[in-house]
Amino acid sequence: MGSVNNVLISFIFIVAFSVTCCEDLKNPTVLISILVRNKAHTLPYFLTFLEQLNYPKDRIHLCIYSDNNIDNSIEILSTWINNRVNEYHGIDKDFNEKSNGFEDEDGVADWSIQRFLHVINLRERGLNAGRQLWADFVLMLDADVFLTNPNTLDKLVLKNEIVASPLLKSDGMYSNFWTGMNTYYYYLRTDKYDQILFREETGCFKVPMVHSAVLINLRRSISDRLSYDPRYLDQYDGPVDDIISFAVGANKSDIPLFICNDEDYGFVTMPLEKGETITDDLELLTNIKTEILNTNNLTLSKDLEQYVQYPTEDTLGVDQIYMINLLRRPDRRNRMHQLFKELGIHAQTIDAFDGRTLNRSILSDAGVETMPEYSDPYHDRPMTMGEIGCFLSHYIIWSEVIESDLETVIILEDDVRFEPFFRQKVKYILTELDNLNVVWDLIYLGRKRLIENAESPIDGSKYLVRAAYSYWTLGYILSRSGAKKLVEAEPLKKLVPVDEYLPILADTHPKKEWKVHYPKRDLIILSANPLLIHPTHYTGDQGYISDTEDSTIIVLDENISKSKEREEL
């Protein structure tokens, strides 16, 4: 019995000692190798997300290479380094301000043989710098990558794979991995690509190619076989290409390459095609920054903000753009203002009517009455003060359109996310309306379809359909004729929520007992197809807040009940 107790005591001691040791362990050391060429427009964002990584900076060593620029990339890098040189374990830089391209390249987007050989050399230098520094890991990182997840480095290190990359989103189908490679070692599309990209399955998946953000585990002995230089690879017969030679060498050495989509890690810009310029890259970057701002805050330090290039603001071809926002939602207001700056949109902010400040007395004095028959179809309740405030906020814009004699406007709420190329797509729609002489009053840019397969396309149109019964007023284009119809129907005397009111006036609403209150129902509503904006959050999403639903409910008969209070989030 005593021997059993001794074994048990020894086991407890070992476990306790192991836990203590683990608690005292420092994070593995990481060398981050960064290549920069003509990335002045991406660097403020790249560097911001780099420094926001939660990984201890004293366990990170940076090696930054930059040359052959025609912009001020080196100036930005130097500014950033000078202000943060003491934060990291060390920062090594190799900048060549005199180089201006290669003899055999045709423009900044041309990947010539000389350029490939130069990049291969820089990649190999970064990898060997990690080995010489005795780093535990090397992160090979391109300057057009935005690691928006601050835990990216921790997550990848903990996976303890020889090579692992975080899945990076971009425009369309582009990302930083391949799931297939043909006999010439070039990209081959497979069904698995879509499943990984769209996260139909989540985890870390073995693939033949990863690039742009690649974590290499130097603690694993087999990592010594990895190289970007084809001269060091056994019987390499592929093209002169850094990412292909690395992938082929790994595959031939039975070193698995993993792409991880278990979390949202960040974004990468699409590579430029031959003949494209930095201006084209700026447009692609705008889409990425918009997508980042749809779900993340993006606060740049002052030393980097001075280098940001914003497009010239305009109203996208309409007379005015309005954005409705509650004063007590400054987070949403600031986010939308930042989005407008990134997209080059000049918008007027409208202070919304706040349901919290409304009451029966105020509404009575203003002559506002709700429709007696109205009951929310989903919650079986009367209107809330938030819904009334929302309606009044839209109503004052409709009235201003008439009073200011505006031809067309765009009205946005403050909880929207924009699709890529939003500017261009709005202009496509406006061009179609002119070219096809389409008669219209209102065009949904975002909505919730309530009846599928009941919508007809506009003859000759690529982007428009006739809208059936729909919800949401998060974004729409409104004409002067539409504003007049909306106001002249005198909705304040028989109020319903604004997203019920629009289909009533368009005669697409299924509730006949509501429609009788509005005998003239000739509002012509179209919709963008596909939609150009969506909500930032859907019901049930983490962070979802509804200022219309989560407010006081109006009870018409005071003898039946006092006003009910909805729980504030």
Side-chain angles (χ1 to χ4, degrees):
M1 187 69 179
S3 60
V4 173
N5 288 335
N6 290 335
V7 171
L8 182 59
I9 291 170
S10 299
F11 175 76
I12 293 173
F13 175 80
I14 292 170
V15 170
F17 179 78
S18 300
V19 170
T20 303
C21 288
C22 291
E23 287 178 349
D24 291 337
L25 288 177
K26 294 181 179 180
N27 292 71
T29 55
V30 180
L31 181 138
I32 303 180
S33 177
I34 302 167
L35 304 191
V36 179
R37 184 188 181 190
N38 294 320
K39 291 299 179 182
H41 50 295
T42 66
L43 277 173
Y45 305 96
F46 167 82
L47 294 170
T48 292
F49 289 119
L50 176 65
E51 65 180 285
Q52 288 179 358
L53 290 174
N54 287 335
Y55 207 83
K57 289 182 172 54
D58 63 349
R59 308 295 289 174
I60 296 176
H61 194 98
L62 302 178
C63 286
I64 306 176
Y65 308 93
S66 186
D67 52 34
N68 294 292
N69 297 293
I70 60 173
D71 63 12
N72 61 335
S73 290
I74 290 178
E75 177 188 346
I76 298 172
L77 289 168
S78 298
T79 299
W80 185 81
I81 290 171
N82 290 339
N83 291 331
R84 294 158 182 83
V85 67
N86 295 322
E87 296 179 12
Y88 291 88
H89 171 269
I91 301 179
D92 297 328
K93 61 182 182 179
D94 185 350
F95 297 162
N96 186 340
E97 298 187 56
K98 296 182 179 180
S99 57
N100 56 10
F102 301 95
E103 292 180 358
D104 64 338
E105 70 176 2
D106 183 15
V108 297
D110 181 25
W111 280 85
S112 66
I113 294 295
Q114 289 184 19
R115 182 176 181 181
F116 267 122
L117 290 172
H118 181 62
V119 169
I120 286 171
N121 176 58
L122 293 180
R123 300 249 192 240
E124 195 71 5
R125 284 178 60 187
L127 180 57
N128 287 331
R131 289 166 172 157
Q132 293 163 9
L133 195 67
W134 284 5
D136 295 309
F137 292 85
V138 168
L139 176 62
M140 309 297 292
L141 194 60
D142 292 345
D144 50 6
V145 169
F146 310 109
L147 297 177
T148 56
N149 186 334
N151 299 314
T152 297
L153 198 47
D154 289 280
K155 297 288 184 181
L156 292 180
V157 165
L158 287 173
K159 295 185 187 305
N160 201 35
E161 301 292 354
I162 304 171
V163 179
S165 289
L167 185 144
L168 302 172
K169 294 180 287 187
S170 188
D171 290 329
M173 299 294 292
Y174 182 73
S175 188
N176 63 315
F177 70 100
W178 297 356
T179 52
M181 185 179 283
N182 64 25
T183 54
Y184 300 101
Y185 305 113
Y186 285 109
Y187 176 79
L188 180 67
R189 184 71 174 272
T190 73
D191 293 338
K192 190 69 174 178
Y193 184 84
D194 291 23
Q195 296 170 13
I196 296 174
L197 180 66
F198 296 116
R199 303 183 70 198
E200 295 173 13
E201 299 178 52
T202 57
C204 290
F205 303 91
K206 184 179 177 182
V207 294
M209 160 73 80
V210 290
H211 60 85
S212 297
V214 179
L215 187 73
I216 302 170
N217 188 345
L218 298 183
R219 297 180 302 187
R220 307 285 289 273
S221 298
I222 197 171
S223 70
D224 291 344
R225 299 183 187 179
L226 293 170
S227 176
Y228 286 91
D229 194 330
R231 293 176 301 174
Y232 302 141
L233 303 178
D234 184 35
Q235 296 182 337
Y236 178 76
D237 58 349
V240 178
D241 184 306
D242 55 310
I243 63 174
I244 291 180
S245 57
F246 179 85
V248 171
N251 295 334
K252 287 188 174 182
S253 298
D254 294 324
I255 297 175
L257 309 178
F258 288 95
I259 188 73
C260 300
N261 70 350
D262 51 327
E263 295 197 19
D264 287 329
Y265 287 106
F267 299 83
V268 61
T269 59
M270 289 179 62
L272 292 175
E273 299 290 339
K274 185 176 179 179
E276 291 183 320
T277 65
I278 293 177
T279 301
D280 298 302
D281 208 22
L282 269 169
E283 190 169 283
L284 295 171
L285 176 63
T286 296
N287 294 323
I288 295 295
K289 288 191 291 184
T290 301
E291 189 61 29
I292 291 172
L293 282 163
N294 281 333
T295 53
N296 299 270
N297 291 322
L298 185 55
T299 304
L300 301 176
S301 58
K302 290 183 179 179
D303 62 338
L304 293 177
E305 191 172 20
Q306 63 179 312
Y307 296 110
V308 174
Q309 304 174 50
Y310 294 111
T312 302
E313 293 185 358
D314 60 29
T315 56
L316 303 181
V318 301
D319 295 330
Q320 184 61 275
I321 298 175
Y322 298 96
M323 189 271 291
I324 300 171
N325 167 260
L326 284 168
L327 280 170
R328 60 182 168 86
R329 295 285 183 222
D331 53 334
R332 292 183 176 183
R333 180 173 299 214
N334 293 337
R335 176 184 156 276
M336 289 297 290
H337 286 177
Q338 183 65 33
L339 275 168
F340 292 150
K341 186 186 293 186
E342 297 288 358
L343 287 168
I345 291 175
H346 178 75
Q348 177 181 341
T349 299
I350 300 296
D351 295 333
F353 283 87
D354 194 337
R356 291 183 180 179
T357 66
L358 297 175
N359 56 46
R360 291 177 58 86
S361 178
I362 293 174
L363 298 179
S364 179
D365 291 344
V368 176
E369 299 178 9
T370 58
M371 181 187 291
E373 293 89 348
Y374 176 76
S375 177
D376 184 277
Y378 298 97
H379 305 291
D380 191 26
R381 56 153 175 78
M383 285 185 73
T384 67
M385 285 296 187
E387 288 171 333
I388 293 176
C390 178
F391 193 108
L392 294 177
S393 302
H394 285 267
Y395 185 86
I396 61 170
I397 298 176
W398 304 339
S399 300
E400 182 173 319
V401 171
I402 299 169
E403 293 168 6
S404 300
D405 199 27
L406 303 178
E407 194 67 35
T408 55
V409 300
I410 294 176
I411 301 172
L412 301 168
E413 295 179 351
D414 65 359
D415 55 348
V416 302
R417 61 180 181 86
F418 297 94
E419 280 289 293
F421 300 99
F422 175 77
R423 287 181 57 89
Q424 296 89 324
K425 291 174 181 177
V426 169
K427 292 183 177 180
Y428 292 157
I429 287 174
L430 296 175
T431 299
E432 276 201 344
L433 293 173
D434 288 340
N435 292 342
L436 300 176
N437 295 316
V438 179
V439 179
W440 64 280
D441 294 314
L442 185 148
I443 302 172
Y444 286 117
L445 298 177
R447 61 175 173 143
K448 178 181 180 180
R449 296 182 182 89
L450 296 179
I451 299 179
E452 297 290 340
N453 304 320
E455 299 181 334
S456 58
I458 305 298
D459 290 341
S461 171
K462 296 180 181 178
Y463 310 106
L464 294 167
V465 295
R466 301 190 184 279
Y469 181 34
S470 303
Y471 268 0
W472 299 346
T473 51
L474 44 96
Y476 56 95
I477 306 174
L478 183 66
S479 69
R480 181 169 52 199
S481 64
K484 288 183 67 175
K485 291 178 181 179
L486 291 167
V487 172
E488 291 175 354
E490 298 183 339
L492 302 187
K493 296 182 179 180
K494 49 232 174 177
L495 206 63
V496 293
V498 65
D499 54 358
E500 301 280 14
Y501 178 59
L502 298 183
I504 287 176
L505 245 58
D507 205 26
T508 58
H509 203 290
K511 292 275 190 180
K512 294 181 180 179
E513 63 272 29
W514 296 357
K515 292 198 291 186
V516 296
H517 290 274
Y518 295 97
K520 189 173 183 180
R521 302 186 296 274
D522 59 351
L523 187 71
I524 302 173
I525 302 182
L526 311 180
S527 176
N529 185 40
L531 298 171
L532 307 190
I533 58 176
H534 305 276
T536 55
H537 299 84
Y538 292 91
T539 304
D541 285 353
Q542 183 177 0
Y544 171 79
I545 296 175
S546 172
D547 290 303
T548 56
E549 293 181 11
D550 300 298
S551 59
T552 304
I553 297 174
I554 299 297
V555 177
L556 297 175
D557 189 341
E558 294 184 3
N559 295 321
I560 295 176
S561 174
K562 295 180 180 180
S563 294
K564 300 177 182 178
E565 296 292 334
R566 283 187 155 244
E567 182 180 355
E568 292 293 335
L569 289 183

